[in-house]
Amino acid sequence: MVKNILSLCLVFIFFVTPYAYSSDMYVMAENYPPYCYEHDGKPTGFFVDIFRLLESRMDMKKNEIHFLPWARSYKRLLNGTGDVLFPMGMTPQRHEQFKFVGPVFWNTVYFYRKKGSKIDIGSIEDAKKTRRIAVTRDDLYYYKLVNKGFTNLDLSAGHEYDFLKVLKGRAALTPMGDITYFPFMKKHSDLNADDYEKIGPPIFLTTTYLAFALKTPDFVIKKWQRALDEVMQDGTWQLIMDKYFPISK
């Protein structure tokens, strides 16, 4: 009996431990500077640095980070062919579909318009009455706006395209976090922060996480969460935050 139990334990350890320690996880990131992007062919950005730091704290080898379109990454995480995706905002639906480590980042989201535009909004209800609002398909902003009753959404493949639609007059507004706005603009040569301006009241507050496939064992999630809690408490998280999101523009 004891021998059988021992054998089962060894099998469990053999199959489950790689989730926590191996370099075989399929890790995905959205090209969304300054959260995640490639520089000289290498992954970088706030979330990339945090992820690498947590790997190091847990004595893991570096996992390869794959930059894929958001919708494709989301689908892979949902069907279990991917293991980790970041950054991801929390929604009630996603809470049932994935497992989360975080929050890693907080941001207050506003609408932005083309500078000099006559479009003016004093409330969320005013924004619902404007013409098209450019938003990235299946991302957090999209779900938040849908849940708030917005029906005037113009979907695109990424935030860069959302801002280009506003610039070219194809959309009236697009959402973006105020902390993220200037660093995001600096990383896109075809965008200029001076071409846009924040308008109206805050839409919502976002909290952003590392998302893991639902198949991930709970003890692995707890291990990652403990590592994140440690880097937040010892000041390392703040150092990385200051690197990518300086107080000044």
Side-chain angles (χ1 to χ4, degrees):
M1 180 69 176
V2 174
K3 184 177 180 180
N4 289 338
I5 293 175
L6 180 59
S7 297
L8 287 173
C9 289
L10 290 173
V11 169
F12 177 82
I13 292 171
F14 178 81
F15 283 106
V16 173
T17 300
Y19 277 104
Y21 303 109
S22 80
S23 59
D24 296 329
M25 292 195 303
Y26 193 90
V27 182
M28 302 167 289
E30 182 184 11
N31 183 20
Y32 186 180
Y35 290 135
C36 318
Y37 59 100
E38 290 185 285
H39 180 70
D40 292 335
K42 296 181 180 180
T44 189
F46 175 78
F47 265 81
V48 172
D49 283 11
I50 292 292
F51 186 79
R52 291 298 190 216
L53 177 61
L54 298 185
E55 286 178 317
S56 175
R57 290 290 179 97
M58 293 185 291
D59 296 322
M60 291 178 63
K61 294 180 180 179
K62 288 185 179 181
N63 289 275
E64 183 179 357
I65 297 175
H66 304 268
F67 284 89
L68 303 175
W70 174 258
R72 190 189 308 172
S73 298
Y74 193 90
K75 183 177 181 179
R76 290 197 65 145
L77 196 68
L78 193 61
N79 66 27
T81 58
D83 297 297
V84 187
L85 171 59
F86 52 82
M88 185 185 286
M90 177 78 78
T91 68
Q93 180 184 17
R94 290 175 179 177
H95 183 70
E96 301 297 325
Q97 296 173 325
F98 311 112
K99 295 182 180 181
F100 292 89
V101 171
V104 181
F105 188 82
W106 302 259
N107 210 352
T108 303
V109 179
Y110 292 83
F111 282 121
Y112 287 81
R113 69 181 182 185
K114 182 179 179 180
K115 183 170 286 186
S117 169
K118 295 181 180 179
I119 297 169
D120 194 16
I121 56 173
S123 67
I124 301 299
E125 293 304 313
D126 289 342
K128 292 179 182 179
K129 299 172 185 176
T130 65
R131 57 190 180 85
R132 296 177 178 178
I133 294 175
V135 65
T136 299
R137 183 187 305 274
D138 289 332
D139 87 332
L140 178 64
Y141 298 167
Y142 166 77
Y143 285 113
K144 288 279 192 179
L145 293 177
V146 168
N147 289 338
K148 286 181 175 294
F150 281 82
T151 58
N152 55 340
L153 304 180
D154 187 320
L155 307 185
S156 63
H159 300 283
E160 179 182 7
Y161 303 109
D162 296 333
F163 277 98
L164 289 174
K165 285 181 179 180
V166 172
L167 184 65
K168 296 176 181 179
R170 292 175 53 191
L173 305 168
T174 191
M176 175 64 71
D178 60 344
I179 297 176
T180 314
Y181 178 73
F182 286 103
F184 176 83
M185 288 289 169
K186 288 179 180 178
K187 296 299 181 181
H188 287 284
S189 59
D190 54 348
L191 297 176
N192 187 333
D194 294 333
D195 289 336
Y196 308 89
E197 55 191 355
K198 187 191 303 182
I199 184 69
I203 316 169
F204 45 76
L205 174 69
T206 64
T207 50
T208 317
Y209 298 75
L210 302 173
F212 289 72
L214 198 59
K215 66 182 181 181
T216 311
D218 288 342
F219 86 89
V220 174
I221 299 299
K222 290 178 181 178
K223 184 177 180 67
W224 280 81
Q225 186 66 54
R226 283 196 300 269
L228 177 62
D229 292 342
E230 289 175 4
V231 303
M232 287 189 163
Q233 292 167 6
D234 67 18
T236 314
W237 176 89
Q238 189 61 55
L239 291 175
I240 298 175
M241 182 72 176
D242 293 341
K243 173 183 175 182
Y244 289 99
F245 303 97
I247 295 176
S248 62
K249 297 180 185 180

